[in-house]
Amino acid sequence: MLKAVANVMRQPNPKGGPMEAPGSRGTGNTKHRIVDAAIETLKKDGFAGASARTIAERGGFNQALIFYHFGTIDGLLLAALDRTSEERMRAYREAIEGATTLTELATVAGRVFREDLRSGHIKVMAELIAGTSAHPGLGPEISRRVEPWIELTREVGQRVSRGTGFDGVLPPEDMAFAVVSLFLGIELMSHLDGDTTRAERLFSVAQGLASTFEGLLRFGTGAMVGEEAP
Amino acid sequence: MLKAVANVMRQPNPKGGPMEAPGSRGTGNTKHRIVDAAIETLKKDGFAGASARTIAERGGFNQALIFYHFGTIDGLLLAALDRTSEERMRAYREAIEGATTLTELATVAGRVFREDLRSGHIKVMAELIAGTSAHPGLGPEISRRVEPWIELTREVGQRVSRGTGFDGVLPPEDMAFAVVSLFLGIELMSHLDGDTTRAERLFSVAQGLASTFEGLLRFGTGAMVGEEAP
DNA sequence: GTCTATACTTGGATAGAC
DNA sequence: GTCTATCCAAGTATAGAC
């Protein structure tokens, strides 16, 4: 039950492994396919269903390849998280970086998260976080990979709230923690009954609230909180 | 992998099982102990770590007893959820029913959820929801057991927002879904690094926000949204 | 690098003695 | 109702042929 702990970060194989040597064409392609299958399996079967056998069967390759390329299952799962995380982080950054007002942010973040919800990208993270209790060795590794999401959220929140007179009230760190938690929770809930309509509705409402709120602020509420426009 | 699906609701044993016969003293005590151990195991080892053997070892009883009393592991896990859910529901209801203002609500709900966070009661639910992907048969069962929580949240939210001029803006259903999701997410995040300080801080801040907001409302913002006090 | 075969462990579940 | 013994499926991981 605990024996994977010390091995989580172990390198592919004792002899240096498939180190993506300069001239190797096509190599690395298999690793890619394995990671794909792992992501797919985490989405559909969850952490508890992500065994070497199920992953290998879904991907149509041999089970032993996992251990050759990633050492352990946990190693593969971390690689899977790295991939989705990187992909989605790029998507969020691109979508969000143009947004400066609360309304824009709500619109654009809602759109990207809807994509996630449908494709299950955040599910990978939620499942791994939940699975951490069973494989404690994963804890610190997952934790490190979640931090950038909190940081991204904090940055964006801070940028958008600047000058609204709201940015002293809810500290950005707390806001970011809450938002990331909320997204993870929505992901869990939505996959419970395969029903994303509640989540979709929530995002519509949030969008509406954001622009209403923004309108109110422009109205002079800023002065009430004791803030001046820059 | 899928064979538990049809068995989830199966009764204890073929012959009618240990049906808590009227005169049986002490009986049912064992079932209780088994459920205790299951809850403890879900909290500490998560869904993926909650095997018959680990549960039995933690509880100091024989592994076979689980199948005698609950038919399957999934059956036991549902019983575990029933117990925590009932216990915590009572605690929340008692704590919350007196609260009529937003400030009171934030204070009291925060206190109870902090208890949860430390004792891990909601973790049981979060782990089971996450585990549902691996055991699809659990899906509907868990879903049924989550609904009352959304309903409770909705009721309370509605009661508190009544007359604040806020209760048309964020539909109670959406609010309830968001709050439950948020709590589940916070639970996941807090157990990831065993650090509950971020969650604790968030609750303090929320408490502060609630009373600030309430103060603003009393100030006449209600009129701005077009609502009159009852 | 990839496959087959295999060792060994853990897990769900049942039979049967007590 | 509880325990021992046991069956068999599934899991991780490795050795060794190709």
Side-chain angles (χ1 to χ4, degrees), chain B residues 43 81 84 88 92 112-113 115-117 119-129 149 180 183-188 191:
Chain B
K43 284 188 206 169
L81 177 55
T84 35
R88 296 316 286 168
Y92 275 92
V112 185
F113 185 64
E115 268 174 48
D116 268 354
L117 213 53
S119 72
H121 265 107
I122 295 194
K123 179 122 207 280
V124 172
M125 186 173 282
E127 284 290 336
L128 285 175
I129 294 178
W149 286 94
V180 171
F183 277 30
L184 287 171
I186 292 175
E187 179 76 55
L188 280 188
H191 276 81

Side-chain angles (χ1 to χ4, degrees), chain A residues 51-53 63 67 72-73:
Chain A
S51 72
R53 280 160 149 86
Q63 176 254 128
F67 302 98
T72 63
I73 302 290

Side-chain angles (χ1 to χ4, degrees), chain B residues 126-180:
Chain B
E127 284 290 336
L128 285 175
I129 294 178
T132 286
S133 299
H135 297 194
L138 283 175
E141 298 298 328
I142 309 271
S143 194
R144 276 200 312 125
R145 288 158 172 90
V146 173
E147 281 313 316
W149 286 94
I150 301 182
E151 177 56 18
L152 170 67
T153 311
R154 196 186 57 73
E155 281 171 25
V156 176
Q158 218 160 8
R159 190 177 70 222
V160 168
S161 72
R162 200 182 309 280
T164 60
F166 196 68
D167 56 343
V169 191
L170 208 185
E173 291 78 20
D174 299 323
M175 181 280 298
F177 177 71
V179 169
V180 171

Side-chain angles (χ1 to χ4, degrees), chain A residues 177-196:
Chain A
F177 177 71
V179 169
V180 170
S181 298
L182 178 63
F183 278 30
L184 287 171
I186 292 176
E187 179 76 54
L188 279 189
M189 290 290 295
S190 298
H191 276 81
L192 177 55
D193 41 20
D195 176 19
T196 58

Side-chain angles (χ1 to χ4, degrees), chain A:
Chain A
M1 187 70 51
L2 295 178
K3 65 180 174 315
V5 175
N7 288 338
V8 172
M9 291 313 288
R10 183 159 57 108
Q11 271 312 90
N13 74 18
K15 324 224 140 29
M19 268 318 186
E20 211 67 2
S24 65
R25 56 96 195 80
T27 299
N29 184 26
T30 304
K31 286 187 76 160
H32 201 277
R33 278 179 54 216
I34 297 177
V35 171
D36 277 344
I39 292 173
E40 219 48 41
T41 306
L42 279 169
K43 285 188 204 169
K44 301 216 171 100
D45 302 332
F47 181 86
S51 72
R53 280 160 149 86
T54 29
I55 295 171
E57 190 178 10
R58 190 185 299 278
F61 50 81
N62 194 282
Q63 176 254 128
L65 279 177
I66 291 174
F67 302 98
Y68 175 74
H69 285 289
F70 299 93
T72 63
I73 302 290
D74 285 354
L76 169 56
L77 298 183
L78 287 177
L81 178 56
D82 281 335
R83 252 263 291 294
T84 36
S85 206
E86 194 187 333
E87 266 178 30
R88 297 315 288 168
M89 184 72 80
R90 201 179 320 120
Y92 275 91
R93 277 200 189 283
E94 280 174 14
I96 272 171
E97 68 185 0
T100 50
T101 71
L102 197 52
T103 310
E104 283 168 15
L105 179 65
T107 308
V108 111
R111 184 168 51 70
V112 184
F113 186 64
R114 268 177 247 233
E115 270 174 45
D116 267 354
L117 213 52
R118 271 188 271 265
S119 73
H121 266 107
I122 295 193
K123 180 121 205 286
V124 172
M125 187 174 280
E127 284 290 338
L128 284 174
I129 293 177
T132 286
S133 299
H135 296 195
L138 283 176
E141 298 297 329
I142 308 271
S143 195
R144 276 201 311 126
R145 288 158 172 89
V146 173
E147 281 313 316
W149 286 95
I150 301 183
E151 176 57 17
L152 170 66
T153 311
R154 196 187 57 72
E155 280 172 25
V156 176
Q158 218 160 9
R159 190 178 68 221
V160 169
S161 72
R162 200 181 310 279
T164 60
F166 196 70
D167 56 342
V169 190
L170 208 185
E173 290 77 21
D174 299 323
M175 182 278 298
F177 177 71
V179 169
V180 170
S181 298
L182 178 63
F183 278 30
L184 287 171
I186 292 176
E187 179 76 54
L188 279 189
M189 290 290 295
S190 298
H191 276 81
L192 177 55
D193 41 20
D195 176 19
T196 58
T197 60
R198 284 203 276 206
E200 308 270 4
R201 263 231 322 276
L202 184 59
F203 278 102
S204 305
V205 171
Q207 216 168 303
L209 272 181
S211 59
T212 304
F213 184 64
E214 209 170 3
L216 286 177
L217 284 176
R218 227 186 289 284
F219 214 64
T221 317
M224 280 175 62
V225 193
E227 197 82 16
E228 61 273 303

Side-chain angles (χ1 to χ4, degrees), chain A residues 1, chain B residues 41 49-63 66-67 73:
Chain A
M1 187 70 51
Chain B
T41 307
S51 72
R53 283 163 149 89
T54 30
I55 295 171
E57 190 178 10
R58 190 184 301 277
F61 51 81
N62 194 285
Q63 176 254 128
I66 291 176
F67 301 98
I73 301 291

